[in-house]
Amino acid sequence: MQNLKDRVTIYQVAQASGVSLATVSRVINKRGSVTEATRKKVEATIASLGYKPSGLAQALATNRTTNIGVVIPSANYVYIANMLSGITEVAREKNYCLTLFSTSHSREEAISMIEKVITTHVDGAIIFDDQLGPEDINKITSYNIPTVVVDNKISGDRVCDIHFSYDAAMKNFIMDYYAKGGDKPMTFLHAHNTGRLLSRCEKMFIKTHEELGRPYHVMNCSDSYTHTYNEFFESFKSGNSKDTFYICYRDSIAAAVENAAMDAGLNVPQDIEVLSLVGTKYAYIVRPTLTAMHIDMQEAGKRAMYMLTDLLNQELVEKTSRLEPRLVLGQSTIKR
C-alpha cells in the first residue's frame, strides 16, 4: 500500500502553475478565455503531476455526466448478459460510463430503481425490465431524461423503444405446426413474475389455439432448472405428460423438460417435443439440441445504445425499432 500515489487535486495544479482555480477549470473543461501560454503551462503541470480531473467536477461544469443508467433484470440470464455486452461495447466507443441498476422480478423493486436513476443525474437511460408499465417509464421521462425502452412500447418526445416480436413469431410457429400435420396438443409453461414478454406470448398462445379450435393447456412451473426437472421427471416416470408439445420461455426450462423426459426413458422428439421461446447459446449445447427462437441480444444492446446517443444529440430519426426472432430448428422437434 506504500506504493500507492496520493491523488493530486486541482488546488495543487493551480498552486504549481501559479494560476487561479478558475483558470485551471477553464483549461480542463475547454470553456472560457485562456491565453495560449497559460493553457500550455497548466497542461504541462497537469502532465507532470499526473492529475486526473474529477468526473463529478466536470459534470457540474458542463452539465453532462457522460453516465448512462441501465435498468435490467438479473444479469445471470444469458440473454440479459448478451444485451449488456452490446450496450457496453457502444458505450465504450462513445465515451460513456454505465451505472447498472439490477432488479429481480418485482415491480416495486423496479420502480425503486427508477427513483435511483433519477437521483443519480444520468444523461440518459436504457430500461429493459418488463415489470414496468408505461406510467412507470413516463415518470423518468418527465424528468427530461432521454430514455430507450427495450421490449415495451412507450411514446414521447424524449423516449424511443425497441420491440421484440416473440408473440407474433410464436403464433406463426403454432399455425405452421398444425398446418404441416403436427398432432401433439401444446402446453405452455407459465412461470410467475417473469414479466410482460412471457405474458404477451401466453395470451397469443391461447388466442391462436382458440382461433384454430385446437385443445391446449397452460401449466405452472418454477423459474428454476432443478425444480422444473424434478417435477417433470416424476410426472414422466408416472406415465403422465407424454405425447405433448411443450413451449418453454427460455433454454434452461426447455432443457429441464427434455432432460427429465430422457432420464425417465422417453424419446425426444417422438414422445414429447420442446420449443424454447428465448433461445441462447445453450440451445446448441444441450442434447438433443433445442428448437428455439433467437434474437441477437448483443445487437439489441448495441442498437439501444446507438439510439440513445442519437436521442441525446437530437439526431434520432426512427423512434421505434423492431427485432424479429429467428426460428432455429433443433432436435427437440420433429422436422415436418
Side-chain angles (χ1 to χ4, degrees):
M1 297 296 290
Q2 292 178 345
N3 293 327
L4 292 178
K5 185 176 181 180
D6 290 336
R7 182 167 181 170
V8 178
T9 68
I10 191 173
Y11 301 98
Q12 291 170 296
V13 173
Q15 186 177 32
S17 303
V19 298
S20 67
L21 289 174
T23 298
V24 176
S25 178
R26 285 196 290 269
V27 172
I28 292 170
N29 296 301
K30 296 180 174 58
R31 296 164 67 94
S33 177
V34 179
T35 66
E36 184 66 14
T38 299
R39 182 184 64 78
K40 288 182 177 180
K41 180 170 63 173
V42 172
E43 288 177 346
T45 303
I46 288 173
S48 65
L49 294 178
Y51 171 71
K52 300 294 183 184
S54 162
L56 178 59
Q58 286 186 303
L60 291 172
T62 62
N63 202 30
R64 294 197 65 175
T65 65
T66 65
N67 188 19
I68 301 299
V70 181
V71 180
I72 59 169
S74 173
N76 290 333
Y77 295 124
V78 174
Y79 68 100
I80 299 293
N82 289 344
M83 190 186 75
L84 188 58
S85 175
I87 294 172
T88 302
E89 182 178 332
V90 177
R92 189 183 303 116
E93 172 193 327
K94 298 292 186 179
N95 295 317
Y96 279 96
C97 298
L98 301 177
T99 298
L100 190 61
F101 301 86
S102 179
T103 66
S104 57
H105 301 307
S106 161
R107 181 171 179 268
E108 290 71 24
E109 185 177 355
I111 292 173
S112 73
M113 289 302 168
I114 291 294
E115 296 284 353
K116 289 183 179 180
V117 170
I118 293 170
T119 57
T120 303
H121 301 292
V122 295
D123 285 336
I126 297 173
I127 300 177
F128 182 28
D129 191 312
D130 61 2
Q131 297 288 342
L132 296 168
E135 67 280 5
D136 305 315
I137 307 298
N138 287 335
K139 183 171 184 178
I140 191 170
T141 59
S142 70
Y143 283 83
N144 203 32
I145 299 174
T147 303
V148 175
V149 182
V150 180
D151 202 39
N152 211 330
K153 292 182 179 179
I154 308 290
S155 60
D157 293 335
R158 303 287 280 169
V159 62
C160 54
D161 62 80
I162 295 176
H163 184 67
F164 300 151
S165 302
Y166 277 108
D167 43 351
M170 188 187 63
K171 177 178 182 177
N172 292 335
F173 177 85
I174 294 171
M175 296 181 70
D176 190 58
Y177 173 79
Y178 290 122
K180 291 182 177 178
D183 57 359
K184 293 186 182 73
M186 291 188 172
T187 292
F188 189 96
L189 297 190
H190 170 92
H192 294 292
N193 297 323
T194 47
R196 294 170 183 269
L197 188 155
L198 185 63
S199 177
R200 291 203 321 267
C201 290
E202 183 177 331
K203 289 177 181 176
M204 183 61 75
F205 171 86
I206 295 170
K207 180 181 178 182
T208 304
H209 277 83
E210 289 179 346
E211 288 176 353
L212 294 173
R214 293 277 184 173
Y216 66 89
H217 184 58
V218 176
M219 177 180 177
N220 289 329
C221 79
S222 170
D223 185 21
S224 159
Y225 172 90
T226 302
H227 289 162
T228 301
Y229 172 87
N230 290 336
E231 289 174 6
F232 273 87
F233 178 76
E234 293 300 324
S235 180
F236 290 137
K237 286 293 287 185
S238 64
N240 298 323
S241 305
K242 187 180 175 183
D243 296 322
T244 302
F245 193 119
Y246 294 97
I247 294 184
C248 311
Y249 76 100
R250 60 189 180 93
D251 291 344
S252 63
I253 304 303
V257 173
E258 72 169 16
N259 286 347
M262 291 186 296
D263 290 348
L266 300 182
N267 183 283
V268 179
Q270 279 70 31
D271 293 325
I272 71 161
E273 296 183 70
V274 182
L275 168 71
S276 173
L277 286 176
V278 182
T280 68
K281 63 182 181 181
Y282 293 114
Y284 307 104
I285 295 173
V286 298
R287 293 293 181 271
T289 56
L290 289 170
T291 292
M293 295 180 182
H294 292 262
I295 283 180
D296 187 339
M297 293 300 290
Q298 185 166 7
E299 177 59 32
K302 290 180 181 179
R303 189 175 300 189
M305 191 64 204
Y306 279 128
M307 290 176 73
L308 182 58
T309 54
D310 286 346
L311 189 62
L312 286 166
N313 295 325
Q314 299 182 341
E315 297 173 351
L316 186 65
V317 178
E318 295 293 334
K319 299 184 72 174
T320 295
S321 179
R322 182 180 295 273
L323 292 176
E324 305 288 344
R326 176 174 58 94
L327 178 67
V328 178
L329 295 175
Q331 299 162 336
S332 64
T333 57
I334 297 173
K335 292 181 173 59
R336 294 175 174 85

